[in-house]
Amino acid sequence: MAVKAEYMWVDGTQPTAKLRSKTKILADGAEPPMWGFDGSSTNQAPGDKSDCVLRPVFTCPDPIRGGDNILVLCEVELIDGTPHPTNTRAACVASATKYADQEAIFGIEQEYTFFKDGRPLGFPAGGGFPAPQGGYYCGVGADEVFGRDIVEEHMDACLAAGLHLSGINAEVMPGQWEFQIGPVAAPQVADELWVARWLLYRIAEDHGIAATLDPKPVKGDWNGAGAHTNFSTNAMRDNYDAIITAAEALGKRRQEHVDGYGAGIEQRLTGLHETAPWTEYSYGVSDRGASVRIPWQVEKDGKGYIEDRRPNANVDPYVVTRLLIDTCCEALARP
């Protein structure tokens, strides 16, 4: 019997990488082998040296094709076996391995926006704008919620694939939604987020809808789309001093994090719409206008996690998890 293996990888498109995928037919029970692709068509190689290598790193059931078919997430390598320059997973793995004793875990809140015919789903077909934002958040009813059928199908697909999906909700703008992956360690949380993104794009495709990660899909008085990243280490899950140490450390490397948190971040982090200005750093308890929020229950319990609210919806999850590990774990490792 034959198995369809959908190989997917992150390409070299700038400033925001895209997912690519293609199908390989395997014998039933065969391990997905290394494969290749034309890097000159994915912004990852010149035409005269176009071969790039796909190395499988994460495999799960394919909930779309069903049966024994699988999804295969791959790292991109050069033909000599070293990580391709666009391969951000390798650096994430190195950081996670270096600080493995701190047992860092993540929960990533992926916001996204449905578009149809060049406008967000739920915006008037003849142009113009719907009612102001507010009632759409966690809303119910055909006048406030748009695209729920796709969202439900995507949720079921993520669960069938075995991903650590922890929830979904309608967001502040019409056609805008969120799903959460975690709590999971790196790089697995990023692997699963990339697979969940692919499933979202693929399922929305069947409905004639585009799912986008634009951090500011509509200009003006509308919320942007982020990927708030919740983070903790074993020390943070044990005492509040470690929470403060991590929050303070992030402020000392503000620009490095902002630079790695997704293209167009200055359009979203304006100081309005539940954001802090991208040029500043702040943290506070229960403060969704801060760069980093410490949930109220964390202060009350004296332990827990922090939420970095700065990452864009289009952030590379390998980059954001690596940066949080490098900054916070380094600070927490100091005597």
Side-chain angles (χ1 to χ4, degrees):
M1 294 181 64
V3 169
K4 301 170 188 173
E6 190 70 16
Y7 277 59
M8 62 185 74
W9 71 96
V10 182
D11 77 359
T13 301
Q14 294 294 329
T16 301
K18 301 195 302 182
L19 275 167
R20 308 281 183 138
S21 72
K22 61 177 182 171
T23 307
K24 187 174 186 65
I25 306 302
L26 306 177
D28 189 22
E31 286 295 313
M34 295 178 71
W35 203 13
F37 67 96
D38 172 15
S40 68
S41 297
T42 63
N43 303 300
Q44 288 169 297
D48 60 341
K49 295 180 176 131
S50 64
D51 286 337
C52 291
V53 178
L54 293 174
R55 182 170 67 84
V57 293
F58 180 83
T59 303
C60 65
D62 184 342
I64 296 176
R65 287 173 170 153
D68 293 328
N69 300 304
I70 57 175
L71 302 177
V72 183
L73 181 69
C74 301
E75 279 193 30
V76 178
E77 295 181 345
L78 299 170
I79 58 174
D80 63 3
T82 59
H84 191 277
T86 62
N87 178 348
T88 55
R89 187 181 188 274
C92 177
V93 170
S95 293
T97 301
K98 179 179 179 180
Y99 294 106
D101 63 319
Q102 295 198 34
E103 299 175 334
I105 57 175
F106 300 84
I108 302 179
E109 306 170 23
Q110 178 68 73
E111 296 178 347
Y112 60 92
T113 309
F114 288 133
F115 269 74
K116 184 175 179 62
D117 299 327
R119 63 183 182 278
L121 198 64
F123 274 51
F129 296 92
Q133 63 183 31
Y136 310 105
Y137 173 70
C138 295
V140 61
D143 58 337
E144 294 189 337
V145 173
F146 309 91
R148 191 185 294 276
D149 52 345
I150 306 173
V151 172
E152 291 285 333
E153 190 175 339
H154 176 251
M155 176 169 58
D156 289 344
C158 287
L159 294 174
L163 306 184
H164 288 81
L165 185 83
S166 54
I168 62 166
N169 62 269
E171 269 300 334
V172 175
M173 191 180 80
Q176 195 175 68
W177 291 81
E178 174 187 299
F179 66 86
Q180 304 96 33
I181 295 289
V184 185
Q188 185 177 343
V189 68
D191 293 340
E192 293 194 16
L193 186 62
W194 277 117
V195 172
R197 285 175 172 178
W198 185 91
L199 286 169
L200 177 66
Y201 300 150
R202 178 63 185 80
I203 290 167
E205 173 188 319
D206 283 345
H207 292 262
I209 301 291
T212 72
L213 305 185
D214 190 321
K216 191 68 175 178
V218 179
K219 311 305 180 189
D221 193 21
W222 298 94
N223 273 33
H228 303 157
T229 303
N230 301 281
F231 169 77
S232 71
T233 65
N234 48 19
M236 295 166 69
R237 296 188 291 273
D238 184 62
N239 70 85
Y240 196 72
D241 287 343
I243 297 285
I244 298 303
T245 296
E248 291 282 349
L250 288 168
K252 295 173 183 175
R253 296 170 70 169
R254 178 195 65 80
Q255 191 63 48
E256 180 183 358
H257 281 256
V258 166
D259 289 346
Y261 279 4
I265 199 165
E266 69 285 352
Q267 300 172 29
R268 174 175 152 265
L269 298 186
T270 62
L272 302 173
H273 308 111
E274 300 180 274
T275 71
W278 69 274
T279 54
E280 302 173 11
Y281 176 80
S282 60
Y283 69 88
V285 175
S286 197
D287 187 357
R288 282 179 165 77
S291 308
V292 169
R293 178 179 69 95
I294 301 173
W296 68 269
Q297 72 268 26
V298 171
E299 183 186 47
K300 179 180 178 181
D301 295 343
K303 59 185 178 180
Y305 68 98
I306 59 175
E307 177 196 39
D308 193 333
R309 297 181 56 79
R310 296 171 295 172
N312 272 352
N314 61 357
V315 73
D316 181 339
Y318 295 128
V319 173
V320 66
T321 53
R322 173 183 60 79
L323 286 171
L324 284 166
I325 289 172
D326 286 350
T327 297
C328 298
C329 290
E330 178 185 317
L332 290 166
R334 293 172 190 152

